[in-house]
Amino acid sequence: MVFALFAVAIMATSDVHCALVDRETAASNSVIGYIPSLWRQTSHADFLQGTAAGTQVSDDSDSVHLRAHYTDPGVYVLVGGRSTAFYRYNITSGIWSEMAPIPAALADGAAMVYDGSAQVYALAGGSSSALFRYDVLANTWSLFATVPANVGKGGDITWDGTYLYVMGGASGRQVWRLDVASLTWLQITTVPGATGTGASVLYNKGYLYVTKGDGTKTFWRYDLRSGRWAAMANAGGKIGAGSDLIAGPRGALYVLQGNNGRQLASYDATVNAWSRLSNLPNAVSYGGGLTYGGSDIIYSINGNDQRYFHSFNRTLNSWTRLAMVPSAVSDGGCLVYVPPVPIDFPPSGTLTSATFDSGQAGTRYVHAFWDRTVQPETLVKIEVRASDSLSEGSPAAEWRSLGTGTSGAMDDLTGRYVQWRATLTTSDASMTPELQEVRIYYYHV
């Protein structure tokens, strides 16, 4: 006769680490203990082994999310020269389109930067203190903030992922930081020397890099952690009207000479040295600029009251002339690359994991846990199935739902082979849930 059946599961940080089963009978008693094994799926490579339908794996966070519909990549150009004209080059089709005009006429010191989340920020230049923001999806401009001082020749703007940095140029030395969340300005430093025509400021890997401009080769670096400036190797060629500094292919920095020159040079911060690259086909002056288009490609405008638009292939070290800008680019002209931007998300999608072989028939599955990020409008549901046999490479069994929480028990689920399926849903097309990890505990009888 069985008097009692006593089971204990010991938990640690919400996951099962071991369990005990105690069987009491009139004749004898026995205790069975086990430490379960773990099948974990957490990396980009893990998730890519599965089968996606309406979902994808993020390259930067290794999480699973709904596969969005995206815009084509594009290059946006403000032509300057006291004009408000604004154009977009569709990289996929090779066609220019006229976009909503910026609310102010642009002149020397105008500059743009993309923030990585469908917003472009632009300085008006021309001794204006206006800072505008452009919504890529809505195609609308708005006055976003006012720089603490007027921005003129040599003015520039850069972004570190949290803050905007603005250098005023106009023979000034101030560098300001803007907290875009609180709209709070802070003057963080002064440049070692006055900056002027063609000067640039660029954030890269914890530093601000600055070219002095005004026909000089002077190049500085500011350590944001220590607050110290250092003089770096002189830039390749004199920096003047139309010069620009960007971060580009292979982790290097790139400078366009300007000042009616054509030289492109790359800078390797690890050895503090410049290398000269193939010259741009046409001379660069007021309104010239560069932007990094991802992979091995850089895009350029010449300014100088010209309409030229080129791409540079770093591997081939060669330039290609593309369709001309619809209007001539002059002082205050600038450009920025905007990668594909998610437009909206589908209502649902799934990721079905690869089949896991536990190595033994009759394997018992204890509990599943998963990490996910959801909003009230989104859900992640997990299902599992297990069997000792396969059907077309998957366990020959029906799916069992574990719910939409963060864990689920798998009582009586057995089999050598196991598989999970995540269903991601949203009722708001602007939002997606994310799945970061799935853990399944099991033991051999």
Side-chain angles (χ1 to χ4, degrees):
M1 177 180 293
V2 178
F3 289 101
L5 176 62
F6 179 61
V8 178
I10 300 176
M11 315 289 283
T13 62
S14 80
D15 280 14
V16 175
H17 278 219
C18 64
L20 298 174
V21 177
D22 183 14
R23 293 185 175 88
E24 302 278 349
T25 69
S28 62
N29 58 57
S30 64
V31 176
I32 300 173
Y34 64 88
I35 298 176
S37 299
L38 170 63
W39 175 39
R40 170 183 284 170
Q41 297 250 277
T42 188
S43 70
H44 193 272
D46 290 337
F47 294 135
L48 286 183
Q49 291 176 4
T51 302
T55 61
Q56 67 183 66
V57 185
S58 173
D59 289 330
D60 54 357
S61 64
D62 290 349
S63 62
V64 180
H65 56 83
L66 291 169
R67 183 184 298 276
H69 303 106
Y70 288 88
T71 63
D72 289 332
V75 176
Y76 290 77
V77 173
L78 287 166
V79 301
R82 297 294 170 181
S83 169
T84 62
F86 185 48
Y87 299 100
R88 179 182 186 271
Y89 178 78
N90 186 314
I91 293 172
T92 303
S93 67
I95 296 174
W96 287 96
S97 299
E98 186 171 5
M99 310 306 288
I102 191 168
L106 304 183
D108 291 315
M112 286 192 292
V113 68
Y114 178 59
D115 74 348
S117 60
Q119 306 292 329
V120 171
Y121 295 88
L123 297 170
S127 296
S128 167
S129 61
L131 173 63
F132 295 95
R133 183 167 72 177
Y134 175 75
D135 188 310
V136 171
L137 297 180
N139 185 30
T140 56
W141 287 96
S142 60
L143 180 64
F144 182 70
T146 301
V147 183
N150 292 338
V151 176
K153 291 182 178 180
D156 202 7
I157 187 170
T158 190
W159 168 256
D160 72 353
T162 302
Y163 301 107
L164 289 170
Y165 298 86
V166 172
M167 186 170 69
S171 298
R173 298 172 55 196
Q174 298 90 349
V175 177
W176 297 280
R177 186 185 74 190
L178 175 64
D179 185 326
V180 297
S182 65
L183 291 182
T184 303
W185 288 97
L186 175 67
Q187 182 179 330
I188 61 167
T189 187
T190 55
V191 182
T195 55
T197 301
S200 293
V201 61
L202 173 70
Y203 172 83
N204 189 253
K205 299 178 181 178
Y207 297 96
L208 293 179
Y209 291 87
V210 173
T211 53
K212 174 178 169 59
D214 271 341
T216 71
K217 296 183 179 181
T218 306
F219 183 50
W220 296 296
R221 186 173 75 179
Y222 178 72
D223 189 327
L224 287 164
R225 291 154 293 195
S226 68
R228 296 178 181 176
W229 284 95
M232 312 308 290
N234 283 344
K238 295 180 178 180
I239 305 302
S243 292
D244 203 4
L245 176 70
I246 65 167
R250 308 182 188 184
L253 307 186
Y254 294 79
V255 70
L256 185 62
Q257 179 182 345
N259 212 37
N260 288 312
R262 299 187 296 132
Q263 182 179 332
L264 179 70
S266 65
Y267 174 76
D268 186 339
T270 61
V271 294
N272 188 28
W274 291 89
S275 300
R276 186 165 181 167
L277 301 170
S278 177
N279 282 349
L280 191 66
N282 303 93
V284 177
S285 190
Y286 288 97
L290 299 174
T291 188
Y292 177 43
S295 187
D296 243 14
I297 303 298
I298 292 172
Y299 295 94
S300 76
I301 48 176
N302 289 71
N304 206 21
D305 291 317
Q306 299 170 341
R307 297 169 52 206
Y308 293 120
F309 178 58
H310 294 86
S311 65
F312 175 77
N313 186 302
R314 181 65 181 86
T315 298
L316 301 178
N317 190 28
S318 65
W319 292 91
T320 300
R321 181 174 294 179
L322 304 174
M324 287 191 172
V325 182
S327 299
V329 181
S330 187
D331 55 300
C334 49
L335 76 169
V336 67
Y337 169 77
V338 176
V341 176
I343 302 171
D344 56 28
F345 296 98
S348 66
T350 62
L351 180 71
T352 304
S353 75
T355 297
F356 176 70
D357 183 355
S358 70
Q360 182 175 309
T363 296
R364 292 187 175 273
Y365 298 94
V366 183
H367 222 97
F369 297 85
W370 54 95
D371 300 331
R372 85 288 192 268
T373 302
V374 296
Q375 294 82 33
E377 297 81 2
T378 67
L379 289 173
V380 175
K381 182 178 75 173
I382 299 294
E383 299 168 283
V384 295
R385 61 184 178 185
S387 175
D388 282 328
S389 60
L390 294 175
S391 174
E392 297 183 351
S394 297
E398 298 296 320
W399 289 106
R400 177 187 297 188
S401 175
L402 298 181
T404 59
T406 58
S407 68
M410 297 183 292
D411 300 331
D412 302 323
L413 186 69
T414 62
R416 174 172 175 172
Y417 306 101
V418 67
Q419 189 177 39
W420 57 262
R421 179 171 69 185
T423 300
L424 285 65
T425 59
T426 182
S427 59
D428 184 335
S430 68
M431 296 183 179
T432 177
E434 292 191 2
L435 174 68
Q436 292 92 17
E437 183 172 283
V438 177
R439 303 179 298 280
I440 291 179
Y441 289 89
Y442 64 95
Y443 69 97
H444 296 145
V445 179

